[in-house]
Amino acid sequence: MRFEVRTIASMEAVPARQWNALIDADQPFLRHEFLHALEASGAVTSATGWTPAHLLVWQKDILVAAMPRYYKRHSRGEYVFDWSWADAWERAGGDYYPKTLTAIPYTPAPGTRTAISTRVDTPAAVFAALAEHCCDESLSSWHLLFAEDAEVDAWKAAVPELIERRGVQFQWQDTGFGDFDGFLAAMSSKRRKEIRRERRRVAEQGITLSRLTGDEIDPAALAHFYRCYQMTYLERGQRPYLPLDFFQRLQRTLPEALVLVQARVEDQPIASALCIQGNKTLYGRYWGSEVEADCMHFETCYYQGIEHCLENGLTRFDPGTQGEHKLMRGFAPRQLRSLHYIADQDFRRAVAHFCVQERAHIEAYYRQAQERLPFRHDVNIPQRESS
């Protein structure tokens, strides 16, 4: 089956209807509206080191597959760190940048990266066609980040030279808890009491929580959220990756995907967490606070999200990258996979050796984390270890 692969320089070059027809309902970050908002707001442009070069696959003038792709002049905003690779290659006299990258900018959330229409009878042929454009010998490398297992396996079958790298995140999964009390009942007595104490401590400080969805998030609530979001970066002496215009665009074009958790004192907002939701998964992405308060971060970013999932039939909560403190609050470890094509054969062997050594440590860490989960021994929490 013959496929034609075309490169576009912005999301504006493809109609939203055509792109979104390929996207699963649980993949909000892959939607045209999200990727276009990143570009139109100025967060993802050549000036910020992200040059869009998205790939579209056509079959007889019908769009049958799409994949976001960028030329990168740095490794910021990726969360699968290859700074040491870049340093090693440049000390050896090579040019690591620009490289090519398939990922959702500034978004370390696992999901589909190559969207393929169900009408395609031979998905393997699509991956083979895309590989000719991704594995470009004129560039140092191509990287596929945070893809789901089935897609990783399909890419490895298409390009045997791809190097796999592992990482660990923590995610909550509903196993039939029913409500928040049911979730707590599945935990050990010690952890159950500690979480109840944390939630009680928030209330004792006069803090109340509310969740706004969709059109309930008015401009004032969004502006307050953004002030809090900025503070998270400013405290570290950094500028935020995303401008207010990005979030305003999402509010206009993708309101059904937004969930805003507000913490208030005397009816005045003091902290906010903005989540993005699909039809099965809640993704906790952006947070900030104007004050310091005991346990407020746990309540705003974790417990409110779990309650939202249980009340709205969502079965998974991805609260964001990093943070072992999530483990003791019911978020189980999950191994995530990325793939890396290195053009130079000698450098490829060195990177592959590093990833093999690193993987042994990742798998040991994953097993240790599983053993530290706070659930009772008779409660079955599904493991998400990759093959």
Side-chain angles (χ1 to χ4, degrees), residues 68-89:
R69 187 183 60 150
Y70 305 89
Y71 291 104
K72 289 294 303 294
R73 292 190 287 105
H74 52 67
S75 295
R76 292 189 292 275
E78 298 176 15
Y79 303 93
V80 176
F81 303 111
D82 62 348
W83 296 104
S84 62
W85 302 359
D87 180 64
W89 187 232

Side-chain angles (χ1 to χ4, degrees), residues 273-295:
L274 183 65
C275 301
I276 309 292
Q277 65 178 354
N279 69 335
K280 299 177 184 177
T281 306
L282 182 69
Y283 301 89
R285 294 295 98 192
Y286 320 101
W287 143 265
S289 175
E290 296 176 314
V291 303
E292 291 187 8
D294 290 347
C295 303

Side-chain angles (χ1 to χ4, degrees), residues 44 89 110 120 144 152 188 212 250 252 271 287 327 333 348 363:
V44 170
W89 187 232
V120 174
L144 176 74
V152 168
S188 67
L212 306 176
L250 286 188
R252 292 195 299 270
W287 143 265
L327 183 67
R348 184 190 308 159
E363 291 179 342

Side-chain angles (χ1 to χ4, degrees), residues 162-197:
L162 287 171
I163 300 166
E164 181 175 336
R165 193 177 186 186
R166 295 287 180 93
V168 174
Q169 288 186 0
F170 300 94
Q171 298 180 356
W172 176 90
Q173 187 169 344
D174 186 12
T175 59
F177 297 124
D179 55 19
F180 200 88
D181 285 339
F183 165 62
L184 291 182
M187 289 187 163
S188 67
S189 175
K190 178 182 178 181
R191 282 308 303 161
R192 183 164 58 247
K193 291 177 181 178
E194 288 174 343
I195 291 176
R196 284 175 174 160
R197 179 188 60 78

